[in-house]
Amino acid sequence: NTRKIGLAIYPELNAGQNHELVVQSEDLNGNKIESSYVFRVDTEFTLDLFGVFPNPFDQALYDKCYVQFRVTQFVRNSDFRAALYSLGGKKIRDFTHQDLNNDGQSIQQMQELVWDGKDNNFQDVAIGVYLLKISAVGEDGKKAEKIAKIALIR
């Protein structure tokens, strides 16, 4: 018998400072639990790359590869770009906001780009190491770029 409760608060938080959210709860038997979360409100636009899974990408085991990243400001779909390159610099695949696991409306917070191991012509690419370049422009007009290395095996 699980009961859920929701609470929405909107405090004014100072940008550029660390903040702590402390959640305390107690059940009917008096058992208490407390969790705290420290976070920072960013003022500048950043794009943070968190990782690639699986890497190496073995198509015999997985049908897709996922690249997780975060943006600290709202990004319009038209201001998001990602492209996959061979180590020789040849462009293999272009990605758009439609290749993200999101609502399709905007790019914000945590995101996940999905690659199926195919090129722009929907053909399987050769085994090897590829570079994924992700670039985005935040609300403040600042551009950020990150590069992820993906190894494809079969």
Side-chain angles (χ1 to χ4, degrees):
N1 188 1
T2 302
R3 294 185 186 196
K4 296 180 181 180
I5 186 170
L7 174 67
I9 57 171
Y10 303 96
E12 293 211 15
L13 302 174
N14 295 325
Q17 295 180 355
N18 286 339
H19 300 278
E20 182 176 19
L21 172 66
V22 178
V23 179
Q24 300 172 334
S25 62
E26 182 176 341
D27 66 16
L28 295 174
N29 295 322
N31 299 312
K32 297 179 184 179
I33 189 168
E34 180 177 300
S35 296
S36 65
Y37 306 91
V38 176
F39 61 96
R40 182 179 187 88
V41 177
D42 289 322
T43 55
E44 283 192 30
F45 174 66
T46 60
L47 185 152
D48 301 310
L49 184 62
F50 289 108
V52 178
F53 177 82
N55 200 10
F57 175 24
D58 185 347
Q59 284 190 303
L61 300 174
Y62 301 95
D63 62 341
K64 293 184 174 107
C65 179
Y66 302 90
V67 180
Q68 294 180 331
F69 65 94
R70 174 182 71 113
V71 292
T72 57
Q73 293 179 6
F74 173 82
V75 175
R76 290 188 308 268
N77 288 337
S78 61
D79 288 333
F80 170 81
R81 297 278 184 272
L84 188 75
Y85 297 89
S86 69
L87 289 180
K90 179 183 176 190
K91 188 184 282 189
I92 304 297
R93 172 87 177 259
D94 289 300
F95 296 93
T96 68
H97 65 279
Q98 295 171 332
D99 296 297
L100 299 176
N101 276 342
N102 72 2
D103 61 8
Q105 302 302 313
S106 63
I107 300 166
Q108 52 191 336
Q109 304 296 323
M110 291 294 294
Q111 294 293 317
E112 193 171 63
L113 181 109
V114 181
W115 179 43
D116 57 6
K118 300 190 183 305
D119 63 13
N120 280 334
N121 297 317
F122 305 104
Q123 301 296 312
D124 287 336
V125 300
I127 61 171
V129 177
Y130 295 89
L131 301 175
L132 176 68
K133 180 179 177 184
I134 301 172
S135 63
V137 178
E139 291 176 299
D140 62 3
K142 182 180 173 190
K143 182 177 181 178
E145 295 181 343
K146 292 290 179 181
I147 296 177
K149 191 183 300 184
I150 304 173
L152 176 69
I153 61 176
R154 289 193 178 89

